[in-house]
């Protein structure tokens, strides 16, 4: 049985709440990613996604110098690195999310698990479960 540590992406790019949304967008563009965990004083305090930038900033006319804290999501869902891939995939499907931060037993950020990680895990049941949960029309 595979754990999340086996399939997650460990090279996590981070931003801080005081950084600008422009900096966040540039980091997303250069790393070809759609979300960034937000850290403050060695703690995970939020997530900012490309969707947040579009809907919470651009759509409301906020400028590129707007702090990340003004558009980030603060209700953070996460999983543990020792959890089973299938269990996490089911949880992600129930939450309707395509990615989750991964923490260790001390709740330190150690990675990100995304739909693509689950899809490539070799666990077709987990991949199908997650896909069914997040690939729903709005």
């Amino acid at each position: 049985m595979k754990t999340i540590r086996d399939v997650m992406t460990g090279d996590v790019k981070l931003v801080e709440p005081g950084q600008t949304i422009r900096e966040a967008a540039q980091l997303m563009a250069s790393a070809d990613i759609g979300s960034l965990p937000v850290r403050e004083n060695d703690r995970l305090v939020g997530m900012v996604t490309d969707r947040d930038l579009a809907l919470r900033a651009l759509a409301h006319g906020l400028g590129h110098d707007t702090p990340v804290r003004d558009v980030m999501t603060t209700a953070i869902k996460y999983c543990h690195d020792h959890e089973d891939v299938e269990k996490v995939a089911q949880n992600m499907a129930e939450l309707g999310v395509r990615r989750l931060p991964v923490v260790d037993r001390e709740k330190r950020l150690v990675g990100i698990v995304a739909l693509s990680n689950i899809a490539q895990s070799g666990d077709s049941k987990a991949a199908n479960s997650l896909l069914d949960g997040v690939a729903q029309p709005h």
Side-chain angles (χ1 to χ4, degrees), residues 17-137:
Q19 285 184 262
T20 67
I21 59 173
R22 179 184 215 162
E23 291 172 309
Q26 288 172 332
L27 182 55
M28 285 182 201
S30 68
D32 192 26
I33 55 177
S35 69
L36 293 165
V38 182
R39 76 156 177 223
E40 186 171 47
N41 300 325
D42 200 30
R43 293 195 57 228
L44 185 62
V45 296
M47 289 286 288
V48 63
T49 66
D50 47 9
R51 184 172 170 84
D52 294 330
L53 297 179
L55 300 181
R56 294 182 181 169
L58 187 60
H60 292 281
L62 300 180
H64 63 82
D65 58 344
T66 300
V68 167
R69 80 172 51 83
D70 291 355
V71 299
M72 71 183 192
T73 298
T74 56
I76 308 162
K77 305 296 183 191
Y78 59 88
C79 64
H80 289 94
D81 61 351
H82 63 273
E83 289 184 87
D84 174 64
V85 169
E86 198 169 311
K87 178 182 172 199
V88 171
Q90 182 61 41
N91 188 38
M92 290 171 70
E94 289 170 9
L95 294 170
V97 298
R98 296 170 188 256
R99 58 187 75 88
L100 281 178
V102 181
V103 298
D104 62 16
R105 292 182 192 274
E106 289 77 40
K107 293 197 177 176
R108 299 273 184 223
L109 183 68
V110 295
I112 294 282
V113 64
L115 174 60
S116 60
N117 299 109
I118 303 290
Q120 295 171 3
S121 71
D123 186 331
S124 60
K125 184 176 178 187
N128 289 335
S129 172
L130 178 54
L131 193 56
D132 286 345
V134 298
Q136 300 297 321

